[in-house]
Amino acid sequence: MKNVFNKKPNGKIILVLAECQEGALKAGRYAIKHLYDEETRIILLQTYKAPKFGLTMVRNLPSILKSISKEDLTVLKNTFMKEFGIPSENIEKLAMEGDLSTIAQQEFRNCDNLSVVIGTDCTPLYSKNPYKQILFFMTNTGIRPIFLIDGSITCIGRSKILVIPEIEDKMPVRLKDFLNNISEKDNIPVEYLTEENFNNASFPEIGNCRFKQEVTE
């Protein structure tokens, strides 16, 4: 893992959590359109973990799951290369055994110039307790910014949480509660961008991020 992150120490790194195809496609497309430049590397990460039961007939299950994860990541990578012409060497595929929280704590805590993009659609991480794993990820790695891509675009930075909802009234209550929790914990404001306050909004400065251009399109 260390060698992967150190190939281009001066370039940006975008980590796309690829726990499911639909969410990863949305996250990757957003990242490439609005955060990517030619010096950027995109890392597609998918985690897998065998269930804990002692049948010898499934002792090779981790290798099977790893193979499936690699196939999923290959499909994602090929999609992004075809759609956007991204060079193959600018997209890394990582299939890792274990839960995301542990991997994040061990591998990503001290990575510089790193952004995380998460597409929340149908992601297994949120099936029981939405956003719990994201909160753990943020707490244990300190990585900012984190972009959440779903019915809204949410940028969680160090000084502000900027939300661009399609329809604010239809935002999930759990998402609002999650953002309010982060706001109180980190003592930073949540700003909901609307047509009325767009011209007065201050956008986060994130490297070469074209975040402001995204919301004007």
Side-chain angles (χ1 to χ4, degrees):
M1 175 66 72
K2 185 177 180 180
N3 290 336
V4 172
F5 283 99
N6 287 338
K7 283 183 180 179
K8 292 182 180 179
N10 296 322
K12 294 187 298 181
I13 298 172
I14 299 172
L15 177 65
V16 176
L17 301 185
E19 301 299 313
C20 93
Q21 286 280 345
E22 185 177 350
L25 280 169
K26 284 189 176 182
R29 284 171 175 148
Y30 175 85
I32 293 170
K33 287 181 180 179
H34 306 293
L35 306 176
Y36 175 86
D37 61 36
E38 62 183 13
E39 294 299 319
T40 300
R41 281 185 307 114
I42 297 174
I43 295 177
L44 306 177
L45 171 65
Q46 183 164 316
T47 60
Y48 60 92
K49 185 167 58 174
K52 294 181 179 180
F53 52 88
L55 298 178
T56 56
M57 63 180 291
V58 294
R59 63 190 175 197
N60 292 325
L61 188 56
S63 63
I64 295 172
L65 294 174
K66 184 174 184 177
S67 178
I68 294 172
S69 294
K70 285 185 173 181
E71 291 177 5
D72 289 345
L73 293 177
T74 296
V75 171
L76 280 174
K77 178 175 179 177
N78 290 342
T79 298
F80 297 145
M81 290 171 59
K82 182 177 180 180
E83 287 189 8
F84 300 101
I86 305 298
S88 177
E89 60 270 20
N90 281 30
I91 304 179
E92 303 281 352
K93 301 180 299 179
L94 290 179
M96 301 187 68
E97 183 176 5
D99 62 80
L100 176 62
S101 300
T102 301
I103 290 172
Q105 195 170 13
Q106 293 175 345
E107 305 291 351
F108 303 122
R109 179 189 293 272
N110 296 316
C111 294
D112 295 327
N113 212 7
L114 172 66
S115 300
V116 179
V117 187
I118 305 171
T120 62
D121 285 359
C122 80
T123 306
L125 291 175
Y126 320 126
S127 59
K128 293 182 179 180
N129 189 343
Y131 315 110
K132 181 178 180 180
Q133 293 286 3
I134 298 177
L135 179 60
F136 192 94
F137 186 98
M138 293 172 58
T139 301
N140 286 278
T141 65
I143 295 173
R144 302 291 188 279
I146 292 179
F147 294 87
L148 305 182
I149 312 300
D150 44 33
S152 61
I153 299 170
T154 302
C155 174
I156 303 174
R158 296 189 182 279
S159 60
K160 177 191 294 189
I161 299 172
L162 183 61
V163 186
I164 309 172
E166 292 181 354
I167 303 177
E168 183 176 347
D169 292 341
K170 293 186 178 181
M171 286 184 65
V173 174
R174 284 184 171 182
L175 173 58
K176 286 187 175 182
D177 290 344
F178 166 76
L179 297 180
N180 289 334
N181 183 24
I182 297 298
S183 175
E184 293 175 4
K185 179 177 177 295
D186 292 352
N187 193 28
I188 57 176
V190 180
E191 179 177 345
Y192 289 90
L193 194 63
T194 64
E195 292 183 4
E196 289 75 17
N197 68 7
F198 177 85
N199 291 329
N200 296 323
S202 58
F203 294 85
E205 296 294 334
I206 306 168
N208 294 321
C209 169
R210 298 184 289 277
F211 192 64
K212 186 170 183 177
Q213 292 173 323
E214 150 67 15
V215 299
T216 61
E217 291 177 355

